[in-house]
Amino acid sequence: DGGITQSPKYLFRKEGQNVTLSCEQNLNHDAMYWYRQDPGQGLRLIYYSQIVNDFQKGDIAEGYSVSREKKESFPLTVTSAQKNPTAFYLCAMDPGTGELFFGEGSRLTVL
Amino acid sequence: AQKVTQAQTEISVVEKEDVTLDCVYETRDTTYYLFWYKQPPSGELVFLIRRNSFDEQNEISGRYSWNFQKSTSSFNFTITASQVVDSAVYFCALSEGSNSGYALNFGKGTSLLVTP
């Protein structure tokens, strides 16, 4: 079954802890993106990567980090420096057509 | 500055009514792309349509239709004979070559509720 998989679907963490969200795709696409969604807000771009070992900051990269060591994987770490980390996180891939296909999302709650 | 504006935060209609969701965008690029996505309660975003800036033809897909007008920088979405299953949040988005490698810039979304 091809597509993009995010895990975990729900995650609870204590304030001050780093958290890593997984995003995996098995369609061999180059471009991958991380977005954050808050209630009543659109999606805001955190980081994106267009090739392996390269990634760029989006509009709200502060407090987040990513890596792209393998084409199929683009994990996002929410660090303790992120002041308001509770949100819905969506990973997406672009098969080269400009259409983004999204994963099911990860809902992070910081207690 | 907001590049995509969806002025309608929430819309409520009764089943079988037609409904139009507005989207106004802002760009200086001559080549850009416009999108609509649907987000049902499950949370996953579902791609609906992509249009490029050189194609102003209106498009119809079943009960869905889109009206792209460059003169007013608008890309409105109409659902004809709405159904309860159409209830979702709908996002309009803009992709520009000059911005973040064609990453999408989203509006804040319009929440559509269709009641029986």
Side-chain angles (χ1 to χ4, degrees), chain B residues 3-59:
Chain B
K3 292 198 170 189
V4 178
T5 302
Q6 295 179 255
Q8 305 147 309
T9 305
E10 295 180 355
I11 300 176
S12 182
V13 299
V14 177
E15 208 170 17
K16 297 184 183 176
E17 285 185 10
D18 298 348
V19 58
T20 296
L21 310 182
D22 298 332
C23 174
V24 174
Y25 63 93
E26 180 184 334
T27 180
R28 292 182 180 178
D29 285 13
T30 54
T31 301
Y32 54 90
Y33 301 87
L34 294 162
F35 300 77
W36 276 95
Y37 281 84
K38 174 182 180 179
Q39 186 178 40
S42 61
E44 185 175 350
L45 266 78
V46 178
F47 167 82
L48 295 178
I49 191 171
R50 169 183 182 252
R51 301 308 301 273
N52 73 57
S53 53
F54 299 108
D55 182 3
E56 281 193 77
Q57 273 194 334
N58 291 335
E59 179 150 345

Side-chain angles (χ1 to χ4, degrees), chain A residues 9 33 35 37 40-45 48 50 57-59 88 90 94 97-105 107, chain B residues 9 33 35 37 39 41-47 49-50 89 91 95 99-109:
Chain A
K9 196 166 184 177
Y33 305 80
Y35 285 87
Q37 184 179 17
Q41 300 292 318
L43 281 69
R44 292 180 290 167
L45 181 65
Y48 66 100
Q50 294 185 308
K57 292 182 179 180
D59 301 321
F88 187 50
L90 285 154
D94 180 353
T97 62
E99 304 162 16
L100 294 194
F101 291 92
F102 287 82
E104 293 184 344
R107 193 169 299 279
Chain B
T9 305
Y33 301 87
F35 300 77
Y37 281 84
Q39 186 178 40
S42 61
E44 185 175 350
L45 266 78
V46 178
F47 167 82
I49 191 171
R50 169 183 182 252
V89 180
F91 291 98
S95 170
N99 177 44
S100 303
Y102 286 99
L104 268 61
N105 238 301
F106 285 84
K108 293 189 177 182

Side-chain angles (χ1 to χ4, degrees), chain A residues 38-67:
Chain A
D38 295 284
Q41 300 292 318
L43 281 69
R44 292 180 290 167
L45 181 65
I46 305 173
Y47 268 99
Y48 66 100
S49 168
Q50 294 185 308
I51 54 172
V52 175
N53 293 322
D54 185 58
F55 47 82
Q56 306 295 328
K57 292 182 179 180
D59 301 321
I60 55 166
E62 186 176 348
Y64 298 97
S65 66
V66 293
S67 64

